[in-house]
Amino acid sequence: MNTLLVLIGPTGVGKTELSLRVAEAFRTCILSADSRQLYADLPVGTAAPTPEQLARVKHYFVGTLQLTDYYSAAQYEADALKLLDELFVRHPAVVLTGGSMMYVDAVCKGIDDIPTVDADTRQLLLQKYETEGLEHLCAELRLRDPEYYRIVDLKNPKRVIHALEICYMTGRTYTSFRTQTQKERPFRIVKVGLTRDREELYDRINRRVDQMMADGLLEEARRVYPLRTCNSLNTVGYKELFKYFDGEWTLPFAVEKIKQNSRIYSRKQMTWFKRDPDIRWFHPDREAEILNYLRERVE
């Protein structure tokens, strides 16, 4: 049976290099499940695979979108499943790796059949967000869908806006579309989670941010600054530097906030992943053990 080898874990844990080694061991390719590596103009801030790494193993869903493109986990589910149908003809096993929790779940479990938002509704809600602010939208969501309001991350404008888009477009609550029924897949799924001690992980995150700055993150953020209202740039690394460009923060403070927010995001990722009993956890240094575990389940 065809097998999807899923390699997941928090930001900075070491997924990229290990995924390359796993793909090489199985002579296969890699699907990225990173919602920001999809965009072509963010290689430094998203820690996208380098040209050398891309040359080692064929990757999909890396650098394929423009910053102004709209994309969603639902679209990723459809695109990834279609691609897997083609890849499994040539490869009995394919690697999927990344830290975007909803993208991983979209492929492995499926997501609810929520209607696609039309351009007019999307533009309307974006204008409301820009003119009235997130707090006003949260208050509106509380009225329109109190059940989702109680569980959504109210500091995440993407989540709040999307729920309101569905409410506006359908006249129904966003909650009414969220059945969370797991879908059957025509392939086996084997999940490996990578984890490190918190102190070790935080140190890696801090050093990675310093390396990103040395590699040109500031210049990359400056290039995309004119598009700062795009959803693709509502992410750690760019939001903080935009505040520096706006004169709100000093550069050293912005860099420290990138580190802090990256650490916070890593905790959110682990909280999400730890709920999945199908994940077998390893330290990234246990490469031989990981490969043996995967081989036993493929062969």
Side-chain angles (χ1 to χ4, degrees), residues 5-7 26 189-193 277-282 286-299:
L5 307 177
V6 181
L7 197 65
F26 285 90
I189 298 173
V190 180
K191 297 178 183 177
V192 163
D278 295 331
I279 300 174
R280 173 73 178 271
W281 292 95
F282 296 88
R286 292 160 61 189
E287 180 182 333
E289 193 174 340
I290 292 169
L291 286 173
N292 286 336
Y293 175 78
L294 294 174
R295 285 193 183 103
E296 287 173 359
R297 280 145 187 83
V298 171
E299 300 169 358

Side-chain angles (χ1 to χ4, degrees), residues 74 77 110-116 172 176-180 183:
E77 176 186 7
I111 57 177
D112 297 319
D113 294 322
I114 295 171
T116 301
R172 291 168 50 185
S176 68
F177 290 96
R178 300 178 73 244
T179 61
Q180 296 181 320
K183 299 176 183 176

Side-chain angles (χ1 to χ4, degrees), residues 59-256:
H59 283 67
Y60 296 91
F61 302 109
V62 173
T64 56
L65 299 179
Q66 300 304 308
L67 293 175
T68 52
D69 290 341
Y70 176 78
Y71 203 72
S72 66
Q75 186 64 52
Y76 179 75
E77 176 186 7
D79 291 345
L81 291 178
K82 180 181 178 182
L83 178 60
L84 284 171
D85 280 344
E86 301 169 8
L87 294 176
F88 280 138
V89 174
R90 306 191 301 273
H91 305 284
V94 173
V95 176
L96 181 142
T97 187
S100 295
M101 299 86 79
M102 287 189 67
Y103 277 44
V104 173
D105 279 359
V107 175
C108 295
K109 302 178 180 178
I111 57 177
D112 297 319
D113 294 322
I114 295 171
T116 301
V117 178
D118 61 70
D120 290 342
T121 304
R122 189 176 303 123
Q123 186 61 34
L124 172 63
L125 267 299
L126 182 60
Q127 288 176 349
K128 286 176 71 72
Y129 172 55
E130 292 174 349
T131 57
E132 301 174 15
L134 180 60
E135 187 174 346
H136 180 90
L137 294 187
C138 288
E140 185 172 356
L141 180 63
R142 186 178 184 179
L143 293 173
R144 289 179 176 268
D145 190 348
E147 187 175 348
Y148 188 63
Y149 174 86
R150 287 195 295 271
I151 62 172
V152 69
D153 178 0
L154 295 172
K155 294 182 180 179
N156 187 327
K158 180 180 178 182
R159 301 276 184 266
V160 174
I161 289 171
H162 184 57
L164 283 173
E165 287 172 343
I166 298 301
C167 293
Y168 272 54
M169 201 177 73
T170 67
R172 291 168 50 185
T173 64
Y174 181 59
T175 299
S176 68
F177 290 96
R178 300 178 73 244
T179 61
Q180 296 181 320
T181 302
Q182 184 161 335
K183 299 176 183 176
E184 293 294 322
R185 297 304 190 207
F187 47 82
R188 181 192 298 114
I189 298 173
V190 180
K191 297 178 183 177
V192 163
L194 302 182
T195 185
R196 296 177 186 267
D197 291 339
R198 178 171 290 191
E199 185 176 334
E200 180 187 14
L201 179 63
Y202 284 3
D203 180 62
R204 284 176 60 89
I205 289 172
N206 293 339
R207 286 189 286 113
R208 186 165 82 156
V209 172
D210 289 335
Q211 188 60 52
M212 285 178 173
M213 292 300 294
D215 289 342
L217 178 58
L218 184 65
E219 293 75 16
E220 183 174 274
R222 200 183 300 278
R223 283 198 302 274
V224 301
Y225 179 66
L227 297 172
R228 62 190 179 278
T229 58
C230 290
N231 183 61
S232 56
L233 293 169
N234 181 31
T235 190
V236 176
Y238 301 96
K239 294 188 297 183
E240 296 84 358
L241 291 177
F242 293 164
K243 286 185 178 291
Y244 163 63
F245 298 150
D246 290 338
E248 296 181 36
W249 291 351
T250 65
L251 182 57
F253 184 79
V255 172
E256 284 306 309

